Amino acid sequence: MEGTRLQKFLASCGVASRRASEVIIADGRVKVNGKVVTDPATKIVKGDTVMVDGKKVTPESSKVYIMMNKPCGVLSSAKDDRERTCVVDLVKDVNARLFPVGRLDYDTSGLILLTNDGDFMQKLTHPSYEIWRTYQAIVRGVPTQNKLDEIEKGIELEDGMTLPAHIDVIGYKGKNAKIEIVLREGRNRQVRRMMEAIGHPVIELKRVRLAALELGELKPGAWRYLRGKDFEALFGTEVAKKMRLI
Ligand code: URA
């Protein structure tokens, strides 16, 4: 049958990523032509009316891609029930329904991407694209080479072994070390839990790079649009071309 899968349609409307849209559909929040639909494979054809939580959604015509230096004390989500400031609130005058790609903790700062393109978000967060995430942290004390080797090989956390990672001590702040750690997975509070597990808890944490895209000189709270070379830095030239980003 012709048409677009409901899940993909919602992503193209900027509702959420395809995966997150599946949950929204399963939760019975989506109506097609007035009827609740819970099958993400439902085909949407021209003329269908799709509503999420009672509001009509339509595909976003222009895609927006933004990078921001998230300050500490700001939530990396689009909305908060408790009225705390969210990253999306810091982007003024952009007429698009943005959502953040992945998460940084409330008390983590640094590079976060915002977009209204659900497919882009899906690719960046999907493990098969292996987007390496680089963090810098001040940790309590100075880890020995043996401890760093444990992190490099992978350590046991309550949700399983971590994948091999890179870690280096890159400086000192008083009696504490500044480390740089590069991970290819993005589990909840992963850096904090890994450093805690080797006895050097995180004092401050900042994400400085995604793949080869650097945070650079963006001040906390500042943002800018992504340009052609940024997409290449994220995905490599060939994939960025295939995704029609360049
Ligand atoms: N790891 C963490 O512990 N926190 C973050 O915000 C990101 C990675």
Side-chain angles (χ1 to χ4, degrees):
M1 205 217 295
E2 297 262 319
T4 310
R5 282 169 64 96
L6 178 57
Q7 187 190 6
K8 189 172 178 199
F9 181 87
L10 293 186
S12 75
C13 296
V15 170
S17 69
R18 279 197 216 174
R19 257 182 298 169
S21 294
E22 204 170 312
V23 177
I24 292 173
I25 297 163
D27 285 349
R29 293 166 56 191
V30 181
K31 281 185 183 168
V32 178
N33 301 327
K35 283 206 190 102
V36 172
V37 166
T38 51
D39 178 4
T42 305
K43 294 283 177 157
I44 302 303
V45 293
K46 208 165 168 220
D48 282 344
T49 300
V50 180
M51 295 175 101
V52 179
D53 297 334
K55 276 198 206 125
K56 185 173 174 184
V57 293
T58 47
E60 302 253 355
S61 51
S62 62
K63 307 277 192 229
V64 177
Y65 307 95
I66 281 172
M67 64 183 275
M68 176 187 283
N69 183 352
K70 177 186 127 25
C72 291
V74 171
L75 274 187
S76 57
S77 53
K79 257 199 265 160
D80 180 44
D81 304 340
R82 287 159 51 194
E83 313 242 315
R84 288 170 297 179
T85 306
C86 300
V87 280
V88 168
D89 302 329
L90 303 181
V91 183
K92 305 266 190 288
D93 303 326
V94 175
N95 189 17
R97 203 136 57 111
L98 295 173
F99 44 86
V101 181
R103 281 180 186 276
L104 289 178
D105 301 333
Y106 190 68
D107 42 1
T108 300
S109 65
L111 176 51
I112 192 156
L113 301 178
L114 305 166
T115 185
N116 59 350
D117 179 348
D119 282 337
F120 175 85
M121 170 158 170
Q122 159 103 351
K123 293 212 163 64
L124 267 173
T125 48
H126 198 276
S128 65
Y129 282 79
E130 287 225 342
I131 302 286
W132 290 82
R133 301 145 167 95
T134 305
Y135 300 87
Q136 290 181 354
I138 307 291
V139 298
R140 188 156 327 132
V142 178
T144 60
Q145 190 56 48
N146 277 348
K147 297 275 183 187
L148 300 181
D149 289 346
E150 283 179 38
I151 295 264
E152 293 244 341
K153 285 194 208 116
I155 54 167
E156 185 78 40
L157 296 178
E158 70 267 29
D159 51 356
M161 287 294 287
T162 59
L163 292 174
H166 302 298
I167 183 168
D168 286 305
V169 172
I170 58 167
Y172 301 92
K173 192 172 177 188
K175 288 186 180 146
N176 299 322
K178 181 171 185 182
I179 57 132
E180 182 166 290
I181 180 165
V182 189
L183 304 180
R184 65 169 119 139
E185 48 183 347
R187 299 193 218 162
N188 192 30
R189 297 181 77 81
Q190 185 165 347
V191 175
R192 291 174 200 275
R193 289 190 292 135
M194 289 170 84
M195 297 312 297
E196 180 92 45
I198 60 161
H200 295 280
V202 164
I203 299 169
E204 270 173 53
L205 183 60
K206 179 178 187 180
R207 183 157 67 191
V208 294
R209 200 178 309 126
L210 275 174
L213 178 65
E214 306 263 358
L215 178 62
E217 297 301 312
L218 269 186
K219 298 265 177 304
W223 60 271
R224 69 168 177 80
Y225 289 106
L226 295 186
R227 304 183 271 265
K229 65 177 178 46
D230 300 323
F231 296 116
E232 291 183 70
L234 276 172
F235 295 109
T237 309
E238 286 316 307
V239 174
K241 269 191 190 150
K242 240 192 231 157
M243 290 168 70
R244 296 175 191 276
L245 292 166
I246 53 172

